[in-house]
Amino acid sequence: MGLFFCVKTFGCQMNKHDSERVAGMLEALGALPVNDIEAADVVVYMTCCVREAADTRLYGQVASMKNIPLRPGTPLGKRIVAVGGCIGQRDGEKLLAALPHLDVVFGTHNLGALPRLLREAVGSGERAAEVLDASSGFSSDLPTDREHAWAAWLPITIGCNNFCTYCIVPYVRGREKSRPLEDIVAEAQRYVDAGVKEITLLGQNVNSYGRDLYGQPRFAAVLDAVAATGVKRLRFATSHPKDLTDEVIDRFGSLEALMPALHLPVQAGSDAVLAAMNRRYTAAHYRGLVEKLRRVCPNIALSTDVIVGFPGETEKDFLDTYRLIEEIGYHQVFTFIYSKREGTPAASLPANATREEIQDRFERLEKLVQDSAWKANQAEAGATVEVLVEGVSKRDPRLLSGKSPKNQTVHAPLPEDCSIEQLQGRFVDVKVDEARTWYLSGTVVDGSLHG
Ligand code: SAH
Ligand code: SF4
Ligand code: F3S
């Protein structure tokens, strides 16, 4: 009798990557993945607690599980529910007490324990929470079920040492640990040999890679070594501006595989707020980095994260942020309203703006972000871009959807003689007819299919 599982993922790419490992482990046990909870015998939530909203949603969703009917014919007689990821790590046993329908809790440091915990829950009906304080290293030997055959996320560091005062991540992911360079290169080479076209190197701050192993940041060496595997497209996330070195910036000019796109979270444009956030750079330093990046790679697409309403943020501070965002001309800006996280230093700082003021700042910024995205995309209007095809557009199955080197979403009608299966994971050139705020649309250049 088949067993079906469903993994629901929240939060950052670290979690998405961990979810691929969870799926890989469950498939190795003979279970099959499904998208809907209704059709699943085992449901695993991979949770995020970086903001309060994600927290509230998780508790609500697990609590309402009791209303979802069991899958007809389920061999288990009940639905097994597991919570992992960052809320699992932070709350452990408390989750079992708060959520009677929950069977298993695991953390960010013991992903590999999940099959055993599930087996115990199925076998004896025992509920269990197992969370470790720190990781022993990388769980790189776990099987992985990647979302796309042609793209891979490759963690090079786990954890974070930066302790930005608003952020919970260092508490739920632990201290920064780098993975040995040989392991990274070996995994990248395996992917390339298996036909992977795009690799994204992952870490909370990839720029400090190697400090715990070799005593200095040497992320540039990782870029060189992974590019040498022959991968077509190389990306990385995330970069802390205080650790982005000239060597890494230079790679945007010298490594052909390194795509002209960089996510460089600024968080704020006011030095007072940056200092209160413990970001350890100034707005001027950040502007200097952007200048250098554009000198090396004039068409680089920049994206960023911004927090609005950090404790103590004044209207003047906000305007400094607004002007910085306006001036840089980002392709994409992820805007967040500050959300208090218990246990972080900022949680004890008094707020000095009202909810309405913060909401108003947020809305002004959102408008700017849309204008800026639209403007940035105009550089591609009328141009031809190389697109790595991912699938069909969600809104229209007659359109292919893929990514440009700058990571823009591109839509184009499927060429008549091609099925999407023939195109997926390969490259086509698209002549862009129209550049919109969130995507480019165009037509596939005849005979351009390659890779
Ligand atoms: N390590 C990455 C991102 C971590 S979390 C980095 O440093 O860039 C992703 C984003 O969530 C952060 O960049 C920040 O903008 C936002 N964020 C983190 N904690 C937050 C909080 N308490 N309230 C609001 N936004 C937050
Ligand atoms: Fe959080 Fe700062 Fe670390 Fe990013 S660098 S994960 S924002 S503490
Ligand atoms: Fe969220 Fe954990 Fe990532 S808190 S942002 S899923 S490291």
Side-chain angles (χ1 to χ4, degrees):
M1 172 74 61
L3 203 63
F4 297 92
F5 71 92
C6 166
V7 184
K8 293 282 173 205
T9 309
F10 304 90
C12 67
Q13 275 161 331
M14 273 308 165
N15 252 11
K16 290 186 189 146
H17 178 75
D18 284 351
S19 290
E20 293 184 341
R21 300 214 182 243
V22 164
M25 288 189 287
L26 297 181
E27 282 168 30
L29 296 177
L32 295 168
V34 290
N35 287 328
D36 299 319
I37 293 175
E38 283 81 355
D41 308 302
V42 175
V43 180
V44 182
Y45 284 98
M46 294 298 280
T47 59
C48 172
C49 52
V50 81
R51 285 175 296 279
E52 198 181 0
D55 238 320
T56 321
R57 193 150 30 116
L58 187 258
Y59 275 80
Q61 284 200 354
V62 176
S64 66
M65 290 279 293
K66 61 176 185 297
N67 304 326
I68 301 176
L70 287 186
R71 179 177 79 81
T74 179
L76 304 182
K78 65 172 290 200
R79 185 175 280 121
I80 299 286
V81 184
V83 167
C86 296
I87 299 183
Q89 181 67 34
R90 187 195 59 189
D91 293 353
E93 294 260 333
K94 279 195 276 173
L95 276 160
L96 288 183
L99 296 162
H101 295 278
L102 189 57
D103 301 286
V104 168
V105 178
F106 61 107
T108 53
H109 300 308
N110 64 338
L111 217 55
L114 181 63
R116 175 175 52 78
L117 293 169
L118 287 176
R119 239 183 273 123
E120 285 167 11
V122 170
S124 64
E126 292 277 319
R127 309 167 77 212
E130 208 173 280
V131 171
L132 301 181
D133 279 347
S135 68
S136 50
F138 276 86
S139 46
S140 35
D141 49 342
L142 300 178
T144 306
D145 173 21
R146 280 183 286 113
E147 188 184 351
H148 298 304
W150 61 87
W153 285 314
L154 207 169
I156 67 165
T157 66
I158 50 172
C160 183
N161 290 349
N162 288 314
F163 292 95
C164 303
T165 54
Y166 50 81
C167 185
I168 193 87
V169 171
Y171 307 90
V172 288
R173 291 278 171 176
R175 290 300 68 72
E176 185 177 280
K177 284 201 179 67
S178 303
R179 190 169 175 191
L181 186 56
E182 313 82 79
D183 287 10
I184 296 171
V185 176
E187 186 168 343
Q189 193 66 60
R190 270 203 308 280
Y191 288 143
V192 173
D193 295 346
V196 165
K197 307 289 169 53
E198 176 171 297
I199 291 177
T200 305
L201 304 175
L202 283 188
Q204 296 299 345
N205 176 20
V206 290
N207 296 113
S208 59
Y209 171 85
R211 228 172 249 177
D212 54 321
L213 295 179
Y214 314 101
Q216 51 168 326
R218 41 175 7 242
F219 178 53
V222 180
L223 289 174
D224 292 343
V226 175
T229 61
V231 67
K232 290 278 181 302
R233 289 185 168 192
L234 178 57
R235 304 182 189 277
F236 58 86
T238 303
S239 281
H240 195 305
K242 78 176 164 54
D243 297 314
L244 180 63
T245 60
D246 289 350
E247 289 74 29
V248 169
I249 292 177
D250 285 343
R251 297 308 186 271
F252 282 98
S254 60
L255 293 178
E256 204 190 327
L258 188 58
M259 291 291 105
L262 177 65
H263 186 63
L264 193 61
V266 68
Q267 312 298 358
S270 143
D271 287 344
V273 174
L274 286 171
M277 287 176 164
N278 189 32
R279 290 290 287 179
R280 289 175 278 166
Y281 55 83
T282 60
H285 177 76
Y286 187 93
R287 286 183 165 92
L289 293 176
V290 171
E291 212 172 282
K292 278 190 211 165
L293 282 160
R294 288 192 165 143
R295 217 177 299 136
V296 171
C297 181
N299 68 342
I300 195 163
L302 297 171
S303 58
T304 200
D305 292 348
V306 176
I307 298 177
V308 177
F310 187 78
E313 182 191 77
T314 62
E315 175 65 15
K316 183 183 166 301
D317 292 323
F318 170 73
L319 289 175
D320 286 344
T321 301
Y322 189 96
R323 275 192 287 268
L324 182 139
I325 302 295
E326 191 171 35
E327 178 190 313
I328 293 195
Y330 289 101
H331 271 74
Q332 212 171 1
V333 181
F334 299 91
T335 45
F336 304 103
I337 290 183
Y338 170 71
S339 156
K340 184 171 169 168
R341 305 284 60 202
E342 284 315 325
T344 62
S348 55
L349 298 176
N352 70 340
T354 63
R355 256 172 196 277
E356 291 70 30
E357 280 166 334
I358 293 171
Q359 185 63 32
D360 175 65
R361 287 174 196 168
F362 181 75
E363 284 167 18
R364 278 185 278 161
L365 197 59
E366 282 283 276
K367 278 207 196 79
L368 172 66
V369 164
Q370 291 205 13
D371 288 351
S372 148
W374 184 85
K375 266 192 215 141
N377 275 348
Q378 297 317 303
E380 270 63 48
T384 298
V385 294
E386 185 186 65
V387 175
L388 177 55
V389 180
E390 295 185 336
V392 290
S393 146
K394 281 196 197 88
R395 281 175 299 128
D396 185 346
R398 291 165 305 175
L399 297 179
L400 67 81
S401 174
K403 288 281 159 52
S404 74
K406 292 183 181 175
N407 219 15
Q408 295 146 304
T409 298
V410 184
H411 291 163
L414 275 170
E416 267 175 19
D417 49 346
C418 282
S419 70
I420 189 65
E421 288 74 23
Q422 287 171 295
L423 300 177
Q424 257 173 338
R426 302 182 68 192
F427 297 96
V428 290
D429 294 333
V430 171
K431 164 99 169 37
V432 177
D433 304 318
E434 197 181 0
R436 308 274 201 106
T437 306
W438 304 125
Y439 65 94
L440 311 173
S441 63
T443 28
V444 174
V445 175
D446 277 346
S448 66
L449 180 61
H450 61 282

